[in-house]
Short mmCIF file of all heavy atoms in Angstrom, two decimals:
data_model
loop_
_atom_site.label_atom_id
_atom_site.label_comp_id
_atom_site.label_asym_id
_atom_site.label_seq_id
_atom_site.Cartn_x
_atom_site.Cartn_y
_atom_site.Cartn_z
N SER A 178 111.50 105.19 88.04
CA SER A 178 110.66 106.16 87.61
C SER A 178 109.27 106.05 88.23
O SER A 178 108.69 107.03 88.75
CB SER A 178 110.50 106.15 86.17
OG SER A 178 109.44 107.11 85.67
N TRP A 179 108.82 104.85 88.38
CA TRP A 179 107.42 104.57 88.95
C TRP A 179 107.49 104.82 90.44
O TRP A 179 106.59 105.50 91.00
CB TRP A 179 107.09 103.08 88.77
CG TRP A 179 105.70 102.75 89.31
CD1 TRP A 179 104.57 103.07 88.65
CD2 TRP A 179 105.41 102.10 90.46
NE1 TRP A 179 103.52 102.64 89.47
CE2 TRP A 179 104.01 102.06 90.51
CE3 TRP A 179 106.15 101.67 91.53
CZ2 TRP A 179 103.31 101.55 91.65
CZ3 TRP A 179 105.45 101.11 92.65
CH2 TRP A 179 104.08 101.04 92.62
N THR A 180 108.63 104.47 91.20
CA THR A 180 108.86 104.83 92.53
C THR A 180 108.74 106.31 92.73
O THR A 180 108.09 106.81 93.71
CB THR A 180 110.04 104.19 93.07
OG1 THR A 180 110.15 102.81 92.83
CG2 THR A 180 110.34 104.49 94.58
N ASP A 181 109.45 107.16 91.94
CA ASP A 181 109.46 108.49 92.06
C ASP A 181 108.07 109.13 91.82
O ASP A 181 107.69 110.03 92.52
CB ASP A 181 110.41 109.20 90.97
CG ASP A 181 111.85 108.90 91.20
OD1 ASP A 181 112.11 108.42 92.39
OD2 ASP A 181 112.71 108.94 90.35
N THR A 182 107.35 108.50 90.94
CA THR A 182 105.91 108.98 90.60
C THR A 182 105.03 108.72 91.81
O THR A 182 104.37 109.65 92.19
CB THR A 182 105.38 108.27 89.39
OG1 THR A 182 106.07 108.50 88.26
CG2 THR A 182 103.86 108.79 89.11
N VAL A 183 105.15 107.57 92.43
CA VAL A 183 104.42 107.26 93.59
C VAL A 183 104.68 108.22 94.74
O VAL A 183 103.79 108.70 95.44
CB VAL A 183 104.51 105.75 94.11
CG1 VAL A 183 103.96 105.59 95.47
CG2 VAL A 183 103.95 104.81 93.07
N ALA A 184 106.01 108.43 94.93
CA ALA A 184 106.39 109.34 95.99
C ALA A 184 105.92 110.78 95.78
O ALA A 184 105.58 111.46 96.77
CB ALA A 184 107.95 109.29 96.20
N SER A 185 105.93 111.17 94.59
CA SER A 185 105.62 112.54 94.34
C SER A 185 104.04 112.86 94.36
O SER A 185 103.56 113.93 94.59
CB SER A 185 106.08 113.02 93.05
OG SER A 185 105.60 112.31 91.95
N THR A 186 103.23 111.72 94.12
CA THR A 186 101.87 111.92 94.02
C THR A 186 101.15 111.52 95.35
O THR A 186 100.07 111.84 95.57
CB THR A 186 101.15 111.07 92.92
OG1 THR A 186 101.58 109.64 93.15
CG2 THR A 186 101.69 111.44 91.58
N ALA A 187 101.91 110.86 96.14
CA ALA A 187 101.25 110.44 97.43
C ALA A 187 101.20 111.58 98.39
O ALA A 187 102.11 112.27 98.59
CB ALA A 187 102.07 109.38 98.02
N SER A 188 100.05 111.88 98.81
CA SER A 188 99.81 113.10 99.67
C SER A 188 100.08 112.78 101.20
O SER A 188 100.23 113.70 101.98
CB SER A 188 98.37 113.62 99.56
OG SER A 188 97.50 112.58 100.01
N GLY A 189 100.30 111.49 101.50
CA GLY A 189 100.43 111.08 102.89
C GLY A 189 101.82 110.80 103.24
O GLY A 189 102.87 111.23 102.56
N MET A 190 102.03 110.01 104.32
CA MET A 190 103.27 109.47 104.78
C MET A 190 103.22 108.07 105.08
O MET A 190 102.18 107.50 105.13
CB MET A 190 103.60 110.35 106.08
CG MET A 190 102.70 110.06 107.21
SD MET A 190 103.22 110.89 108.80
CE MET A 190 102.36 109.87 109.99
N PRO A 191 104.42 107.44 105.24
CA PRO A 191 104.40 106.09 105.49
C PRO A 191 103.83 105.82 106.96
O PRO A 191 104.18 106.65 107.88
CB PRO A 191 105.86 105.66 105.52
CG PRO A 191 106.50 106.70 104.63
CD PRO A 191 105.73 107.98 104.93
N LEU A 192 103.06 104.82 107.08
CA LEU A 192 102.63 104.54 108.52
C LEU A 192 103.70 104.20 109.46
O LEU A 192 103.63 104.56 110.64
CB LEU A 192 101.68 103.31 108.47
CG LEU A 192 101.00 102.80 109.74
CD1 LEU A 192 100.20 103.90 110.36
CD2 LEU A 192 100.30 101.52 109.43
N GLY A 193 104.87 103.70 108.92
CA GLY A 193 106.07 103.46 109.79
C GLY A 193 106.61 104.65 110.50
O GLY A 193 107.31 104.59 111.47
N GLN A 194 106.13 105.90 110.05
CA GLN A 194 106.72 107.12 110.66
C GLN A 194 105.68 107.72 111.67
O GLN A 194 105.98 108.75 112.21
CB GLN A 194 106.92 108.16 109.62
CG GLN A 194 108.15 107.81 108.71
CD GLN A 194 108.36 108.87 107.65
OE1 GLN A 194 107.61 109.77 107.32
NE2 GLN A 194 109.49 108.61 106.95
N ALA A 195 104.50 107.16 111.75
CA ALA A 195 103.51 107.68 112.63
C ALA A 195 103.79 107.33 114.03
O ALA A 195 104.35 106.23 114.41
CB ALA A 195 102.18 107.20 112.20
N ASN A 196 103.35 108.26 114.96
CA ASN A 196 103.41 108.03 116.41
C ASN A 196 102.26 107.41 116.95
O ASN A 196 101.10 107.48 116.33
CB ASN A 196 103.79 109.28 117.08
CG ASN A 196 105.12 109.86 116.72
OD1 ASN A 196 106.12 109.15 116.60
ND2 ASN A 196 105.28 111.14 116.47
N ARG A 197 102.24 106.97 118.25
CA ARG A 197 101.03 106.43 118.91
C ARG A 197 99.99 107.56 118.94
O ARG A 197 100.37 108.75 119.20
CB ARG A 197 101.37 106.02 120.31
CG ARG A 197 100.23 105.38 121.02
CD ARG A 197 100.62 104.75 122.35
NE ARG A 197 101.04 105.89 123.17
CZ ARG A 197 101.70 105.70 124.26
NH1 ARG A 197 102.13 104.60 124.68
NH2 ARG A 197 101.98 106.74 125.01
N GLY A 198 98.76 107.26 118.69
CA GLY A 198 97.73 108.21 118.69
C GLY A 198 97.26 108.65 117.32
O GLY A 198 96.30 109.28 117.09
N PHE A 199 98.22 108.31 116.30
CA PHE A 199 97.89 108.73 114.94
C PHE A 199 96.60 108.09 114.46
O PHE A 199 96.31 106.97 114.60
CB PHE A 199 99.05 108.27 113.97
CG PHE A 199 98.83 108.53 112.53
CD1 PHE A 199 99.00 109.75 111.94
CD2 PHE A 199 98.15 107.50 111.74
CE1 PHE A 199 98.75 109.96 110.55
CE2 PHE A 199 97.89 107.76 110.44
CZ PHE A 199 98.16 108.88 109.85
N CYS A 200 95.71 108.88 113.81
CA CYS A 200 94.46 108.44 113.19
C CYS A 200 94.55 108.96 111.76
O CYS A 200 94.91 110.09 111.44
CB CYS A 200 93.22 109.12 113.87
SG CYS A 200 92.97 108.63 115.59
N GLY A 201 94.13 108.02 110.85
CA GLY A 201 94.08 108.47 109.47
C GLY A 201 93.37 107.40 108.55
O GLY A 201 92.59 106.56 109.07
N ARG A 202 93.80 107.48 107.31
CA ARG A 202 93.11 106.66 106.34
C ARG A 202 94.22 106.07 105.40
O ARG A 202 95.17 106.89 105.06
CB ARG A 202 92.26 107.51 105.54
CG ARG A 202 91.39 106.71 104.54
CD ARG A 202 90.21 107.46 103.95
NE ARG A 202 89.28 108.00 104.95
CZ ARG A 202 88.23 107.24 105.33
NH1 ARG A 202 88.00 106.07 104.81
NH2 ARG A 202 87.42 107.73 106.29
N ILE A 203 94.17 104.97 104.88
CA ILE A 203 95.17 104.38 104.10
C ILE A 203 95.02 104.96 102.61
O ILE A 203 93.81 104.83 102.10
CB ILE A 203 95.16 102.86 103.97
CG1 ILE A 203 95.53 102.25 105.37
CG2 ILE A 203 96.04 102.23 102.94
CD1 ILE A 203 95.33 100.75 105.63
N ASP A 204 96.10 105.48 102.04
CA ASP A 204 96.09 105.95 100.58
C ASP A 204 96.41 104.91 99.68
O ASP A 204 95.91 104.74 98.66
CB ASP A 204 96.99 107.17 100.53
CG ASP A 204 96.43 108.41 101.11
OD1 ASP A 204 95.24 108.57 101.40
OD2 ASP A 204 97.28 109.20 101.58
N ALA A 205 97.52 104.19 99.95
CA ALA A 205 98.07 103.19 99.08
C ALA A 205 99.02 102.27 99.78
O ALA A 205 99.46 102.50 100.91
CB ALA A 205 98.82 103.88 97.95
N ILE A 206 99.28 101.05 99.16
CA ILE A 206 100.26 100.20 99.56
C ILE A 206 101.38 100.21 98.47
O ILE A 206 101.13 99.95 97.37
CB ILE A 206 99.74 98.77 99.78
CG1 ILE A 206 98.50 98.73 100.71
CG2 ILE A 206 100.79 97.78 100.23
CD1 ILE A 206 98.72 98.94 102.17
N HIS A 207 102.63 100.37 98.93
CA HIS A 207 103.71 100.34 97.97
C HIS A 207 104.94 99.75 98.69
O HIS A 207 105.58 100.42 99.49
CB HIS A 207 104.02 101.67 97.48
CG HIS A 207 105.27 101.82 96.66
ND1 HIS A 207 105.32 101.28 95.39
CD2 HIS A 207 106.53 102.34 96.90
CE1 HIS A 207 106.55 101.36 94.93
NE2 HIS A 207 107.22 102.05 95.73
N VAL A 208 105.25 98.48 98.35
CA VAL A 208 106.41 97.74 98.76
C VAL A 208 107.51 98.01 97.73
O VAL A 208 107.39 97.60 96.59
CB VAL A 208 106.09 96.30 98.99
CG1 VAL A 208 107.26 95.54 99.54
CG2 VAL A 208 104.85 96.17 99.86
#
Side-chain angles (χ1 to χ4, degrees):
S178 173
W179 185 78
T180 302
D181 293 339
T182 302
V183 168
S185 66
T186 60
S188 59
M190 67 175 193
L192 179 61
Q194 293 178 351
N196 293 319
R197 187 174 63 196
F199 171 87
C200 294
R202 185 171 299 273
I203 296 176
D204 289 334
I206 304 290
H207 173 67
V208 182

